[in-house]
């Protein structure tokens, strides 16, 4: 994830979806005491912008192929639900770092709003991942011209096959 406050902002373009969401300031650990910020969310093909209503601070989260999206379950969700919020989680790992972004819909249509955001973000992530990891034909059979592929796992086989088809 790229965070614009750190000077890295890889997101841009026309918004796919916009609306109000709440951002947990402590990754959902201590809601409601840890605080939330009401944000205007702009979903883009390359990531998500959150503009806080009070301060105008912009947080930008750029997609990567390892991003995951889910509804949040467990004890932390109960406190959010009691507060009328329906939460979901965007997470991503790179190396030994995991970034988690807890977001919530609020109001009488919070369930429908959360479902809409989950659907829209999942669609944007799918498109992004497809653009970064184009489809390839997989085969679990060894390459006849490369005997070393007979004992390799599929990942190793895929790399060799890609190199062979790319002429390298």
């Amino acid at each position: 994830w790229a965070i614009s406050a750190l000077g890295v902002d890889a997101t841009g373009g026309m918004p796919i979806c916009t609306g109000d969401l709440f951002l947990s300031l402590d990754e959902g650990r201590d809601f409601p005491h840890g605080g939330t910020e009401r944000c205007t969310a702009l979903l883009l093909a390359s990531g998500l912008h959150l503009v806080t209503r009070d301060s105008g601070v912009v947080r930008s989260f750029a997609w990567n192929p390892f991003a995951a999206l889910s509804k949040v379950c467990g004890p932390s969700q109960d406190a959010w639900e009691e507060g009328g919020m329906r939460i979901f989680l965007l997470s991503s790992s790179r190396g030994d770092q995991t970034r988690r972004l807890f977001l919530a819909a609020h109001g009488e249509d919070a369930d429908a709003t959360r479902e809409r955001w989950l659907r829209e973000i999942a669609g944007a992530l799918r498109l992004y991942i497809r653009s970064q990891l184009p489809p390839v034909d997989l085969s679990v059979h060894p390459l006849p011209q490369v005997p070393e592929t007979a004992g390799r796992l599929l990942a190793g086989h895929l790399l060799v096959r890609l190199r062979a088809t790319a002429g390298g």
Side-chain angles (χ1 to χ4, degrees), residues 3-165:
I3 301 173
S4 63
L6 299 177
V8 180
D9 182 5
T11 61
M14 294 298 295
I16 297 168
C17 181
T18 62
D20 291 339
L21 289 174
F22 285 82
L23 169 66
S24 170
L25 300 177
D26 67 350
E27 293 191 343
R29 288 186 292 271
D30 192 26
F31 179 82
H33 308 293
T36 58
E37 287 187 355
R38 185 175 181 165
C39 300
T40 297
L42 297 101
L43 176 63
L44 308 165
S46 56
L48 182 68
H49 280 305
L50 298 169
V51 182
T52 58
R53 291 288 185 89
D54 292 338
S55 65
V57 171
V58 177
R59 292 177 173 91
S60 297
F61 301 92
W63 302 143
N64 78 44
F66 307 104
L69 175 67
S70 65
K71 289 183 185 177
V72 178
C73 300
S76 64
Q77 181 184 12
D78 296 339
W80 287 71
E81 298 269 340
E82 289 171 14
M85 296 193 173
R86 303 299 182 259
I87 61 174
F88 58 97
L89 168 67
L90 273 169
S91 62
S92 180
S93 295
R94 275 197 186 159
D96 61 350
Q97 280 191 320
T98 298
R99 299 211 186 261
R100 300 180 326 164
L101 178 65
F102 284 86
L103 298 165
H106 186 267
E108 44 183 76
D109 62 343
D111 287 314
T113 300
R114 175 177 59 185
E115 293 304 316
R116 179 179 66 95
W117 278 102
L118 286 168
R119 192 174 47 254
E120 296 290 348
I121 292 171
L125 277 170
R126 267 193 301 277
L127 288 174
Y128 176 79
I129 290 168
R130 283 186 193 143
S131 75
Q132 299 299 305
L133 304 171
V136 295
D137 293 328
L138 297 179
S139 172
V140 294
H141 303 290
L143 295 173
Q145 69 275 23
V146 186
E148 298 85 25
T149 62
R152 292 187 180 175
L153 296 174
L154 181 60
H157 174 73
L158 178 60
L159 291 173
V160 169
R161 182 172 177 130
L162 285 174
R163 242 184 289 146
T165 58

